[in-house]
Amino acid sequence: MIVHLKKSVSLEEAEKLAAKYKSALFENGSLVMVTPSKLKAADEELQKYAEQVFVTDTDIQLAGKQYLKTKREVNLGKVAIGGNTNNCVAITGPCSVESEEQIEAAAKLCVELGVTILRAGAYKPRTSPYTFRGLGLEGLKLLAKMRDKYGLQVITEVRDSTHADEVIEYADIIQIGAKSMYDHGILNKCGKTKKPVLLKRGFGTTLQEFVQAAEFILSGGNPNVILCERGIRTFETKTRFTLDLCGAAWLKEYTNLPIILDPSHAIGYAYGVPDLARACVAMGIDGVLIETHPNPKVALSDADQQLNFDEYRALHSSLKKVADAIGYKIV
Amino acid sequence: MIVHLKKSVSLEEAEKLAAKYKSALFENGSLVMVTPSKLKAADEELQKYAEQVFVTDTDIQLAGKQYLKTKREVNLGKVAIGGNTNNCVAITGPCSVESEEQIEAAAKLCVELGVTILRAGAYKPRTSPYTFRGLGLEGLKLLAKMRDKYGLQVITEVRDSTHADEVIEYADIIQIGAKSMYDHGILNKCGKTKKPVLLKRGFGTTLQEFVQAAEFILSGGNPNVILCERGIRTFETKTRFTLDLCGAAWLKEYTNLPIILDPSHAIGYAYGVPDLARACVAMGIDGVLIETHPNPKVALSDADQQLNFDEYRALHSSLKKVADAIGYKIV
Amino acid sequence: MIVHLKKSVSLEEAEKLAAKYKSALFENGSLVMVTPSKLKAADEELQKYAEQVFVTDTDIQLAGKQYLKTKREVNLGKVAIGGNTNNCVAITGPCSVESEEQIEAAAKLCVELGVTILRAGAYKPRTSPYTFRGLGLEGLKLLAKMRDKYGLQVITEVRDSTHADEVIEYADIIQIGAKSMYDHGILNKCGKTKKPVLLKRGFGTTLQEFVQAAEFILSGGNPNVILCERGIRTFETKTRFTLDLCGAAWLKEYTNLPIILDPSHAIGYAYGVPDLARACVAMGIDGVLIETHPNPKVALSDADQQLNFDEYRALHSSLKKVADAIGYKIV
Amino acid sequence: MIVHLKKSVSLEEAEKLAAKYKSALFENGSLVMVTPSKLKAADEELQKYAEQVFVTDTDIQLAGKQYLKTKREVNLGKVAIGGNTNNCVAITGPCSVESEEQIEAAAKLCVELGVTILRAGAYKPRTSPYTFRGLGLEGLKLLAKMRDKYGLQVITEVRDSTHADEVIEYADIIQIGAKSMYDHGILNKCGKTKKPVLLKRGFGTTLQEFVQAAEFILSGGNPNVILCERGIRTFETKTRFTLDLCGAAWLKEYTNLPIILDPSHAIGYAYGVPDLARACVAMGIDGVLIETHPNPKVALSDADQQLNFDEYRALHSSLKKVADAIGYKIV
């Protein structure tokens, strides 16, 4: 149950109430209290303090259509997505920051195509300790340099709580990766900022759990959460993962959060990325994240799935046509 | 290894060779022999008889790009798909034939929209013995009546070998359902006809197994096989199945068979079908199969996922725009 | 809802009732009618004819604990399983009948160890058309010969409806394979015999669907159904399948059917079969099916997973100890 | 490739080598260097420094049988597992520490049955922010109190990097939970202690990735890693997860690490825990972790799956018999 408290309720009173009802409490314009979903009605005491009450079926509360009927709008610097914008944001860049030269090439590609958001990893969550784990802080600084030089927004991933503060400081948009999606340390810190957070679905994560992870951030007081489907793990191994567009349809129907899709990580092979990216855009979603690299063959991570720049140019142009066909705009 | 035998080789000689090399043998213009894929080179004897030899990596042989680099064209009555047609065929109709009135309404919808293929089930593969199992032969006859009256092609499913001959006789296109996909009895019989066969992927079936099932039909001598992805079973249960578009991309890259997608069975709920259908078409595939019902609420099977006619009209119109954006045409 | 009809109800009356209530009807001592599970109470008319009524939650009806609280006993020739027997039956033999010499070696191994049931496939459901598909009828005849010569019961698989009658005629126990589990043609025929049927769970099949497939046989009038879990398909591919012992625990808790486990097909590699077989027996189930071959390296199918005879002798001896530890007996 | 460096090699020299070959380096008796597995032979320079070299197929290096043929022995306070001990350690306790009274009851049960390791969670990784997240530091202190009072070893879970140091300080055995398994922050810290680490497999994690996560700890210098299989996520939802005993057999065959199984979290329901626990022990593994609660119905987390004390007493007694049947001992 979500309770919008009256303006007259003091923070002190609200905290007492929150403790009593084992609820989350945050301020977003006014004070908002979120009880466990088992509570299905406001008792007399709560009604005294409540301006408005929203009852929810499950612990998908702040993120659900039962609370907000229309999709939230999230501002990403020069562009906004969600709400009534019908914008579909293109985000691109390499898997990892590898060098200034490499990331600058990606930044220039963005500028050339009118893409406003540059992505690249500085802290890479690898499955083996014997592989490249990213440039760390140095990578963050290179991203910041690109932002300043080219007027781009940068998005990069936080891998674990130990460097969460750093990433929150340097990035314009914070990405929580598929493997870190349950990390309370990260989720709590992302709830304390107002920067947009792109939350990736774990590859073994149900839609219910995925949206509940978003609730950690929302109930911490940050309304700027974007969901990102990037492929789930299934019995099929010809492709790295299985992009769950049925799941994307469900998220669109039942949640109020913008949705960005990541076909590159889903299939894991460049050959299928253009067709899948067009499919994503045709769904009517809020953005598409595609990995590109000036020279994919020598990439230090995810070499198989990154498009080269010419492939991306061609794809970007065709995405505009598909978006146009359904009344959306690539921004 | 696929061996195109010389025109001079007699059927008798060919049969001896096939027995010796444990191979499939069929005629399609000329005699074609398919050895197990473990055989990687033609020995002296084989070379004597061979016009042309194609070595393959796996038991995806006749269906693979290593054999035919370009997609096969399959003729579906008034329209063709595959090859260089850039056609995307729309197929629609109810889950089951329920009555003459109901199937006639669907037939009229097809005529109205220029859809040339009507689908509906007569033999339904149900998971419980205590539910409607289809009208059987009576359903087939109603479909044939619609064909004759409205000039449509009809596609319907064979559930098990006991009525395979009947379905092959009555249908224009034979559908092998997801649950029957491994049925040697059905596959063998479909290899003996030249009618187009739409082979649905089992929901627990790998892409490799799926295409190998198509090999049963192809190596029986029927080149008119169409693959249909209709959702696989994953851990996600908010939707009925998970439409595997990564898999569709793989099929497009590695096989020479036309691909039709079925978003209705994949998601299992009408709310997501339009977005998913647009995504399917944007992939650049050869057809899309969508369930419609004059009154979905009273449908005897799959009530949740069927679109009503107005929903389908709107969808059909938007599919044309998406197809157009990628250089395809809805036929 | 299951309705035991009064002795006084004639077959003709019963058939009218069954038609009216869209129910299955069969005789097993007395007449039994099974309505769709949506029907939750007997109306006045039904009450007039009913001796006893059992309401069920789902379409797991005849197979459920809500109907029969104790496990059904099934007679397998010289031994019985289920009921209060605490018997765990050992079944062994090669994947396929390959020759008289090979199957006779297996039969002798059974006799030596006191195993009473010999298994081997005559019709093999293969995933590729370019591999060995079994000896067919000749294989069935060899199995029958072993039965007569060595006093064994034989179990073999029906692959599709086209040879179902043959298998039902030759086998003592009919196996329905994982890939044929939804085949109405086979299920219907197995409902018309009284021979025991071992129904294998499809590797993509939920427990609910699995037991519902058993309902097809039970509601056809054959009470002798045994469930067999043989591994499900998951994202893990280091092993061929994943043996679902949680599922076995669920079947034991909620159904009234005996359960046999097949660790050989589950893991697909001989190295793990002994440990897994001991785990199966320790569950307190009704049987264990293990593939053995006189010389696994030259086996024509499933070469990797079959134990040689010495490995099986050692395993069989240890299974007795494990069974003994939990109050069961290997028979 | 694992390189045992000669005693004569200084730390400084070793660090230079490690940098040159992009290798992990740690001391465990002598200096050990681990290169990426792609390196398949020692060049001249490496040979000069190497005492012994082990080539490995994949990035399963320190954990693999190619490196150590026999299972590692890990000391758990009063008992050891692995090596040649044939010990199977019983670990029990509630899901969460809820109160001193509750955890003391569990401690007394351990003492009564001769169980030497008490488990309970202080930091709970929950999927919803609106549920109980554990007592945190207070919980750790209660566990430490039980250790001191009853002479038990305590094991508890680290949820994210923010409190990893705390848990490493208070616990005798550190548990890394299924949802934190990829957390580099935690893995790195666990590599720097010598306390035993129980690493749980993520429910969406392949065996390969699972063992590679153990490599992070091993290559940090901590040889005391125990693998714990606790159920993977599959399409079957009648049970919470699917206990992967095929996977356990694979781990036993290919790795040198002790294996503990957790049937409670796998099935998620108390009814199946005893049968599954017996199956686990019959596998011949190194330990079994079972959740118990003085009053499961009022438990603040995982209420459905915890056994009450009488159920656990009966189970513990039967586990001894099963272990005995296969030559193991419950310790």
Side-chain angles (χ1 to χ4, degrees), chain B residues 192-209:
Chain B
K192 298 301 163 220
T193 179
K194 296 284 184 196
K195 286 191 176 178
V197 177
L198 182 109
L199 180 69
K200 285 199 158 187
R201 180 183 185 184
F203 43 72
T205 300
T206 60
L207 293 166
Q208 179 77 25
E209 287 177 1

Side-chain angles (χ1 to χ4, degrees), chain A residues 31-202:
Chain A
L31 286 166
V32 180
M33 207 176 104
V34 191
T35 76
S37 60
K38 274 179 274 184
L39 208 61
K40 295 295 186 199
D43 59 18
E44 233 171 281
E45 184 180 3
L46 261 184
Q47 276 177 2
K48 229 168 47 193
Y49 295 98
E51 181 71 40
Q52 210 176 349
V53 168
F54 304 84
V55 176
T56 60
D57 287 341
T58 72
D59 271 343
I60 295 179
Q61 302 203 73
L62 294 164
K65 282 267 171 72
Q66 292 178 308
Y67 175 50
L68 289 181
K69 283 196 185 49
T70 54
K71 196 185 278 187
R72 292 163 186 259
E73 185 171 322
V74 174
N75 197 297
L76 301 174
K78 299 184 175 172
V79 298
I81 57 172
N84 298 314
T85 63
N86 274 16
N87 282 343
C88 178
V89 69
I91 303 177
T92 196
C95 179
S96 304
V97 185
E98 295 171 6
S99 68
E100 179 160 355
E101 194 190 354
Q102 172 241 24
I103 194 67
E104 185 150 21
K108 285 177 176 172
L109 180 71
C110 289
V111 172
E112 171 196 334
L113 297 175
V115 169
T116 63
I117 307 178
L118 172 67
R119 64 142 277 148
Y123 292 96
K124 300 304 301 174
R126 306 308 299 276
T127 51
S128 164
Y130 313 119
T131 47
F132 177 63
R133 300 195 214 174
L135 296 184
L137 183 55
E138 188 196 338
L140 293 182
K141 287 181 180 169
L142 285 171
L143 284 170
K145 194 166 172 183
M146 294 308 116
R147 171 183 46 219
D148 297 342
K149 191 159 172 187
Y150 294 100
L152 299 166
Q153 299 277 294
V154 300
I155 174 169
T156 194
E157 175 171 357
V158 52
R159 190 181 60 203
D160 60 66
S161 308
T162 54
H163 53 260
D165 292 328
E166 254 174 40
V167 172
I168 292 172
E169 183 192 339
Y170 279 90
D172 300 299
I173 306 168
I174 298 131
Q175 179 178 319
I176 303 179
K179 289 174 184 161
S180 311
M181 201 210 75
Y182 297 105
D183 188 316
H184 290 211
I186 296 173
L187 295 169
N188 291 342
K189 287 181 180 191
C190 287
K192 298 301 164 219
T193 178
K194 297 285 184 193
K195 286 191 175 176
V197 177
L198 182 110
L199 180 71
K200 284 199 157 185
R201 181 184 184 185

Side-chain angles (χ1 to χ4, degrees), chain B residues 34 36 59 61 124 126-130 133 159-160 182-185 203-204 206 209 212 215-216 219 233, chain C residues 34 36 59 61 126-130 133 159-160 182-185 203-204 206 209 212 215-216 219 233:
Chain B
V34 191
D59 271 343
Q61 303 205 76
K124 301 304 301 172
R126 306 309 300 277
T127 50
S128 165
Y130 312 119
R133 301 193 212 176
R159 191 182 58 204
D160 60 67
Y182 297 105
D183 189 316
H184 290 211
F203 43 72
T206 60
E209 287 177 1
Q212 286 184 177
E215 291 279 332
F216 277 88
S219 67
R233 188 161 265 169
Chain C
V34 190
D59 270 343
Q61 303 204 72
R126 305 310 297 278
T127 50
S128 165
Y130 313 119
R133 303 196 211 174
R159 190 183 58 203
D160 60 65
Y182 298 104
D183 188 317
H184 290 210
F203 42 74
T206 61
E209 287 177 1
Q212 285 184 180
E215 292 279 332
F216 277 87
S219 67
R233 189 161 267 168

Side-chain angles (χ1 to χ4, degrees), chain C residues 104-171:
Chain C
E104 184 150 22
K108 284 177 176 170
L109 179 72
C110 289
V111 173
E112 172 196 333
L113 297 175
V115 169
T116 64
I117 307 177
L118 173 67
R119 64 141 278 149
Y123 292 96
K124 300 304 300 175
R126 305 310 297 278
T127 50
S128 165
Y130 313 119
T131 49
F132 177 64
R133 303 196 211 174
L135 297 183
L137 183 56
E138 186 195 339
L140 293 180
K141 287 181 179 168
L142 285 171
L143 283 171
K145 193 166 173 185
M146 293 308 115
R147 171 182 49 219
D148 296 343
K149 191 160 173 188
Y150 294 101
L152 298 165
Q153 298 278 296
V154 300
I155 174 170
T156 194
E157 177 172 356
V158 52
R159 190 183 58 203
D160 60 65
S161 307
T162 53
H163 53 257
D165 293 328
E166 255 177 38
V167 172
I168 292 171
E169 182 191 339
Y170 278 90

